[in-house]
Amino acid sequence: MKSSNYKQRTVGDRTLRPETLMMGFGYSPALSEGALKPPVFLTSTFVFETAQQGKDQFDLTSGRRQARDGEQAGLVYSRFNNPNFEILEDRVAVWDDAERGAVFASGMAAIATTLLTFCKPGDVVLHSRPLYGGTETLIRNTLSAFGIGSAGFTDGTDPEHVEAAAHAAMEQGTVSVLFAETPANPTGGLIDLKVLSDVADLVGTRQGKRPLVIVDNTLLGPMFQQPLRHGADLAVYSLTKYAGGHSDLIAGGVTGSAEHVGRIVQTRSALGTQLDPNTCWMLLRSLETLQIRAERAAANARRLAEFLRDHDKITQVDYLGFLTADDPRKAVFDRQSTSPGSTFSFYVKGGEPEAFAFLDRLQLCKLAVSLGGTETLICHPASTTHSGVPAPLREEIGLTDSLVRISVGIENVDDLIADLTQALDF
Ligand code: PLP
């Protein structure tokens, strides 16, 4: 592919796959002395050729005027844009086949910037439960202090349950956002995105303004689930997880229509929640191997889930690959996702003492929160990531003291099984 065709997506009549486009899409070597890989643009600001050009660019990036036909936003200042995050944003959008992507300093920065763009005082966020603890805290504590209310629903496969929650939310104010995390972390609960977008239509008819459907797709990632194809308006990501994939960076992303993402970018410029060029560069490198990492981790996860299911010290394994036809989540899973991914939960026989005994004996799997890295991480959500979730809700969703979450890495799977085997011998 010629460097002038750096946004080419097809060869002949074939549309190129994201894993192919990750090697070069959005970057023109001709603009960087022919360098095969993009340099890191460590610059806070960009030089204008003339004062008029400066004025034009500023008016465009700050949203005071619309782009003229074919005009691209030029580079102004690294809080607004920078070559590294422009390339990264193009590639993040490729995974979801979205019109536009945007990247942020963390997954929480992406979620907070997005919600602050579309919610104002008096509005209500209707959301699935459980949510990642940080998102729950953002909605319950931070946004509520700005007069933005919230209401939750737990069974995202039951239209009547979600509709009832929507009616309760509309009693509180204008529902501006339906926010869902699917699969839920750490329970694997699924939200039917068709139900969610139908409820958004219903709320829109009642209110006269349709709420946006926003899906946190961190757990499966765009390799295995593409919410925009199933009625979501925006997908949000902790890129810290599978996209980064090496447990060595913090970043977030959003994909969706040019109009919605453009509005979020305006908020990002105001808040300063953009991503730095070094981390963008690391993510560009990581995205080149995302597909193979994800596939290998998913294959390892299936083997571990099967091993754990057959072990007498394990009472239950919540692995989406084990869903049976009589489970209402099965049809939703088959429609929305192409793989169970590599993060799942299981229950150790007993309670916290037995779960801790097992965790403390592990030699290879690392005891840490986070997920989606090359190495296997394991944690006890009830006492760590989800300790802030009120006890009755934890009980309701099965987040008990014997629950352990594992994010399976890309190690040799028999080595991982050897570690689990010896750790369960307590
Ligand atoms: N969403 C989900 C599902 C997560 O698991 C996390 C982090 O664990 C986040 C969002 C927040 O991402 P970050 O830690 O990159 O801010």
Side-chain angles (χ1 to χ4, degrees):
M1 203 170 283
K2 302 277 186 311
S3 67
S4 54
N5 297 343
Y6 65 101
K7 293 211 179 172
Q8 185 176 332
R9 287 167 181 263
T10 53
V11 167
D13 56 10
R14 180 169 170 84
T15 303
L16 300 173
R17 295 275 315 149
E19 58 266 37
T20 305
L21 292 170
M22 288 310 107
M23 311 316 173
F25 186 76
Y27 168 64
S28 167
L31 297 175
S32 295
E33 311 271 1
L36 175 68
K37 293 294 176 188
V40 186
F41 287 84
L42 289 177
T43 183
S44 56
T45 195
F46 298 85
V47 178
F48 305 126
E49 291 291 324
T50 62
Q52 184 59 45
Q53 188 202 9
K55 181 178 177 187
D56 279 355
Q57 289 303 346
F58 236 81
D59 283 349
L60 183 60
T61 46
S62 60
R64 275 190 296 273
R65 72 170 176 87
Q66 295 298 309
R68 297 180 197 106
D69 251 5
E71 185 186 16
Q72 297 258 344
L75 296 162
V76 171
Y77 184 63
S78 284
R79 195 175 76 244
F80 306 149
N81 55 3
N82 170 288
N84 292 105
F85 69 78
E86 286 194 340
I87 301 163
L88 178 60
E89 289 180 342
D90 281 347
R91 291 193 196 169
V92 166
V94 159
W95 283 98
D96 274 323
D97 200 15
E99 275 178 12
R100 189 163 176 192
V103 294
F104 301 82
S106 66
M108 286 317 303
I111 294 168
T113 307
T114 301
L115 291 179
L116 285 170
T117 302
F118 299 109
C119 301
K120 57 181 192 319
D123 285 359
V124 180
V125 177
L126 175 63
H127 63 87
S128 62
R129 300 190 104 163
L131 288 176
Y132 166 64
T135 313
E136 179 93 31
T137 306
L138 171 77
I139 293 174
R140 197 152 28 93
N141 300 350
T142 315
L143 296 186
S144 65
F146 291 92
I148 298 164
S150 64
F153 59 91
T154 45
D155 187 350
T157 57
D158 176 359
E160 283 174 21
H161 176 75
V162 184
E163 269 177 40
H167 284 293
M170 283 189 280
E171 305 272 294
Q172 282 188 58
T174 307
V175 178
S176 50
V177 164
L178 264 57
F179 189 96
E181 197 179 301
T182 184
N185 167 21
T187 56
L190 292 183
I191 311 300
D192 186 336
L193 297 181
K194 169 88 173 72
V195 167
L196 217 58
S197 93
D198 288 350
V199 171
D201 290 343
L202 183 143
V203 172
T205 311
R206 276 278 301 272
Q207 291 182 164
K209 185 173 177 243
R210 189 182 187 274
L212 288 185
V213 175
I214 304 177
V215 175
D216 184 334
N217 192 31
T218 299
L219 232 71
L220 285 185
M223 316 75 74
F224 297 143
Q225 177 172 271
Q226 295 179 313
L228 304 182
R229 291 193 195 283
H230 298 277
D233 297 292
L234 291 159
V236 294
Y237 294 95
S238 169
L239 299 177
T240 310
K241 307 296 188 294
Y242 287 98
H246 297 71
S247 307
D248 55 7
L249 61 83
I250 299 279
V254 172
T255 59
S257 70
E259 201 257 315
H260 288 139
V261 177
R263 286 182 59 192
I264 298 168
V265 165
Q266 293 295 329
T267 313
R268 181 185 68 184
S269 295
L271 295 175
T273 47
Q274 81 290 344
L275 188 59
D276 69 282
N278 272 313
T279 310
C280 289
W281 190 93
M282 288 169 73
L283 269 163
L284 289 174
R285 171 177 272 208
S286 292
L287 288 178
E288 295 188 13
T289 54
L290 177 57
Q291 187 72 32
I292 54 169
R293 282 187 284 107
E295 283 171 8
R296 167 65 179 258
N300 280 358
R302 176 168 289 278
R303 284 278 308 279
L304 291 200
E306 286 164 359
F307 164 81
L308 290 164
R309 183 178 56 181
D310 295 341
H311 201 286
D312 61 6
K313 289 231 173 77
I314 303 300
T315 55
Q316 188 182 322
V317 180
D318 282 344
Y319 172 66
L320 291 170
F322 293 160
L323 292 177
T324 49
D326 55 345
D327 188 322
R329 293 178 300 165
K330 171 79 173 146
V332 176
F333 174 76
D334 287 346
R335 194 163 60 240
Q336 285 175 194
S337 326
T338 54
S339 163
S342 50
T343 299
F344 66 91
S345 294
F346 55 94
Y347 295 80
V348 178
K349 194 182 277 177
E352 188 183 275
E354 288 76 11
F356 280 15
F358 158 66
L359 292 171
D360 289 344
R361 285 178 59 87
L362 288 163
Q363 295 172 25
L364 181 59
C365 304
K366 299 281 187 303
L367 253 181
V369 299
S370 201
L371 54 98
T374 47
E375 65 288 291
T376 298
L377 299 182
I378 198 156
C379 77
H380 184 254
S383 62
T384 57
T385 48
H386 291 70
S387 54
V389 176
L393 177 61
R394 258 192 272 152
E395 203 57 43
E396 184 189 338
I397 59 181
L399 211 162
T400 67
D401 284 344
S402 53
L403 181 98
V404 167
R405 182 186 79 188
I406 188 165
S407 160
V408 183
I410 61 170
E411 301 94 334
N412 178 289
V413 70
D414 293 316
D415 291 346
L416 292 172
I417 289 175
D419 193 28
L420 295 180
T421 304
Q422 65 78 28
L424 282 167
D425 189 20
F426 55 83

